[in-house]
Every structure is written in C-alpha cells, then in structure tokens.
C-alpha cells in the first residue's frame, strides 16, 4: 500500500516534468523554425510570428500544467502536514 498522499507526489512531479518538456519542445521548434526561415523559407511572414504561434501551442499549455502542479503540490503538503514557513 502507498504512503499517505504518495500518488499526489507522483502527479505533481509528473506535471512539472510535462511542463518542462513543453518548454523544451518550444525551444526545439523555435530553433528549427529559425534555421528553416533563414535557409530555405522565402516568404513575407515575419519570424517573430512563428514564435508567437509556438508560444500558443507550447508555452501557454506549459504554464497551465505548471500551475496545476503547484496546486497539486499544495494539496499534497496539506495532506502530509508539512508547513513551509517563509
């Protein structure tokens, strides 16, 4: 049997990892698009527009997942009786 709240710990750590993967994916796609833009792509669409599009696809969901991880972690710490004094 799992310890009290162990599942919540797994969930919030997974959410943090997923958030980091989304940010990494944004960086990778941005580098790829920059390379394509300056080597093969000929068009009038500005490069920053691609960054904005990728931000909608990857950074906004990453922020949502990260905030969900923070919320789950707060629930986990409450269940564990851990109090952080700052």
């Amino acid at each position: 049997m799992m310890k009290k709240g162990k599942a919540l710990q797994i969930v919030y750590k997974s959410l943090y990892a997923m958030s980091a993967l989304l940010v990494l994916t944004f960086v990778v796609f941005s580098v790829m698009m920059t390379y394509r833009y300056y080597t093969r792509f000929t068009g009038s669409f500005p490069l920053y527009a691609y960054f904005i599009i990728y931000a909608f696809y990857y950074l906004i969901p990453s922020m949502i997942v990260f905030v969900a991880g923070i919320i789950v972690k707060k629930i986990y710490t409450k269940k564990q009786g851990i109090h952080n004094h700052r």
Side-chain angles (χ1 to χ4, degrees), residues 15-82:
L15 288 171
Y16 287 160
M18 205 172 4
S19 177
L21 283 174
L22 284 167
V23 170
L24 181 65
T25 305
F26 170 76
V27 171
V28 168
F29 275 110
S30 296
V31 169
M32 285 174 35
M33 192 60 227
T34 302
Y35 173 75
R36 286 184 191 156
Y37 188 83
Y38 286 116
T39 58
R40 297 183 283 178
F41 187 69
T42 55
S44 61
F45 208 57
L47 181 60
Y48 69 85
Y50 290 105
F51 293 132
I52 292 170
I53 291 169
Y54 286 131
F56 279 116
Y57 288 150
Y58 298 107
L59 292 183
I60 292 174
S62 174
M63 287 187 287
I64 292 169
V65 170
F66 186 75
V67 169
I70 290 172
I71 292 168
V72 173
K73 185 175 181 181
K74 284 184 181 186
I75 293 169
Y76 169 73
T77 55
K78 268 188 184 175
K79 283 190 181 252
Q80 293 297 315
I82 302 169

